[in-house]
C-alpha cells in the first residue's frame, strides 16, 4: 500500500481566488490521479498526472481551470483557479500501485467557496 | 441511464446482520470490479477487487460479480459497528491510455450496536 497526505485538509475561499492542493506519497509512483467528490455524488476523475508529461484531462475539465504539476515521482499539485461556489467539493488524489485496479487515495481536501 | 448505479441507501442494520450491497452497470467492457470503503472525512480505502465473474472472499467480506447480468455485490457477514461507512463500487475498462475507472455514488451503511 501507500501512505498519501494532502494539504490543506480543508479551506474556505472567496469567489474568484485560486487554491493549490498538494499531494505527497511515501513511495515513487508513476500514475497519480485527481478526483472530485461532491456531496452524494460519485468520484469524478479530473485528470491523470504522469511524471514528466502533461496531465491528461477528462471531459469537462480543462487545464486553465485545474492546472496540475507533477515535478517528481512522489508529489503533485492541483490548482483550482478562479473559484466559484460550484467548485465547493472534496478533492482527492490517488496513486496506482501494481495494476490499474489498485488505487490508493489520500484523505481529501474539503473546499468551500463563498 | 448512468454507467454505474448503486443502491442509494442509507442502509441501517443491527450488529451481526448480513449486509448486501449492490451495483449494476451498463458497459460490458468493464474488466475489473472493486469495492471501496470510505469513512467520514477520509479517503476511499480499497477493500476488494475481482476480475471477471465469480466470487472472492476475504474474511467477513465476499465480492460477487455476475457479468452476464452486469451486477456486482458485496456481502458483509457478522456486521460490526466499525463497518459503518460509505461503500463505493468501482469498475474499470481498458481505454486508450490504460484502465478507465468509474465509481458508483456510494451506499451509506450504519451498523447499530
Amino acid at each position: 500500500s501507500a501512505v498519501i497526505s494532502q494539504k490543506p485538509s480543508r479551506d474556505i475561499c472567496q469567489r474568484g481566488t485560486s487554491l493549490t492542493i498538494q499531494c505527497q506519497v511515501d513511495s515513487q509512483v508513476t500514475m497519480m490521479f485527481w478526483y472530485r467528490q461532491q456531496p452524494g455524488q460519485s468520484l469524478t476523475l479530473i485528470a491523470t498526472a504522469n511524471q514528466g508529461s502533461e496531465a491528461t484531462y477528462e471531459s469537462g475539465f480543462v487545464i486553465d481551470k485545474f492546472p496540475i504539476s507533477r515535478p517528481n515521482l512522489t508529489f503533485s499539485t492541483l490548482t483550482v483557479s478562479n473559484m466559484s461556489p460550484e467548485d465547493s467539493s472534496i478533492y482527492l488524489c490517488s496513486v496506482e500501485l501494481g495494476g490499474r485496479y489498485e488505487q490508493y487515495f489520500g484523505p481529501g481536501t474539503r473546499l468551500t467557496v463563498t | 441511464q448512468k454507467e454505474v448505479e448503486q443502491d442509494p441507501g442509507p442502509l441501517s442494520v443491527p450488529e451481526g446482520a448480513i449486509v448486501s450491497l449492490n451495483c449494476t452497470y451498463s458497459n460490458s467492457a468493464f474488466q475489473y470490479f472493486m469495492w471501496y470503503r470510505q469513512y467520514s472525512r477520509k479517503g476511499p480505502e480499497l477493500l476488494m477487487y475481482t476480475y471477471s465473474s465469480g466470487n472472492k472472499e476475504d474474511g467477513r467480506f465476499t465480492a460477487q460479480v455476475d457479468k452476464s447480468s452486469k451486477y456486482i455485490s458485496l456481502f458483509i457477514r457478522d456486521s460490526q459497528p466499525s463497518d459503518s461507512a460509505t461503500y463505493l463500487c468501482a469498475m474499470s475498462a481498458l481505454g486508450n491510455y490504460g484502465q478507465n475507472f468509474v465509481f458508483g455514488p456510494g451506499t451509506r451503511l450504519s451498523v447499530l450496536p
Side-chain angles (χ1 to χ4, degrees), chain A:
Chain A
S1 65
V3 177
I4 305 167
S5 60
Q6 283 185 237
K7 289 182 181 179
S9 59
R10 58 171 54 217
D11 208 340
I12 300 173
C13 301
Q14 290 193 337
R15 180 195 302 260
T17 62
S18 297
L19 176 72
T20 296
I21 303 168
Q22 299 178 7
C23 179
Q24 180 76 52
V25 189
D26 68 343
S27 58
Q28 294 185 339
V29 296
T30 302
M31 307 288 286
M32 294 182 77
F33 309 91
W34 286 98
Y35 287 86
R36 182 170 72 184
Q37 186 177 30
Q38 295 178 312
Q41 303 291 318
S42 303
L43 288 169
T44 301
L45 181 64
I46 297 171
T48 301
N50 289 342
Q51 194 271 333
S53 63
E54 294 290 324
T56 302
Y57 289 83
E58 298 299 305
S59 176
F61 298 96
V62 295
I63 188 171
D64 290 345
K65 175 67 176 177
F66 298 100
I68 288 171
S69 77
R70 182 77 202 276
N72 58 52
L73 291 172
T74 63
F75 187 79
S76 178
T77 67
L78 169 76
T79 299
V80 186
S81 304
N82 187 24
M83 287 184 286
S84 65
E86 292 71 36
D87 295 319
S88 297
S89 188
I90 299 172
Y91 291 84
L92 294 147
C93 70
S94 75
V95 303
E96 176 259 341
L97 294 181
R100 283 292 291 265
Y101 50 82
E102 203 165 333
Q103 285 195 24
Y104 295 88
F105 285 84
T109 295
R110 186 178 296 267
L111 170 63
T112 302
V113 183
T114 60

Side-chain angles (χ1 to χ4, degrees), chain B residues 5-81:
Chain B
E5 302 205 47
Q6 188 170 356
D7 292 346
L11 186 61
S12 185
V13 302
E15 183 174 355
I18 296 174
V19 177
S20 173
L21 303 166
N22 307 295
C23 285
T24 58
Y25 62 94
S26 57
N27 186 353
S28 58
F30 286 134
Q31 299 170 307
Y32 292 99
F33 303 89
M34 292 135 282
W35 286 95
Y36 285 81
R37 177 175 62 195
Q38 186 173 22
Y39 291 114
S40 180
R41 301 183 182 278
K42 301 286 187 182
E45 168 194 10
L46 179 64
L47 267 181
M48 298 185 71
Y49 68 86
T50 56
Y51 176 71
S52 194
S53 288
N55 292 356
K56 185 174 182 178
E57 188 173 319
D58 184 0
R60 296 185 294 111
F61 298 88
T62 299
Q64 189 175 81
V65 173
D66 183 348
K67 291 191 74 176
S68 62
S69 302
K70 298 189 180 65
Y71 190 91
I72 70 170
S73 298
L74 178 70
F75 298 97
I76 306 174
R77 293 184 298 279
D78 187 24
S79 56
Q80 303 294 308

Side-chain angles (χ1 to χ4, degrees), chain B residues 100-111:
Chain B
N100 295 325
F101 271 75
V102 179
F103 286 82
T107 300
R108 184 183 298 177
L109 171 66
S110 295
V111 181

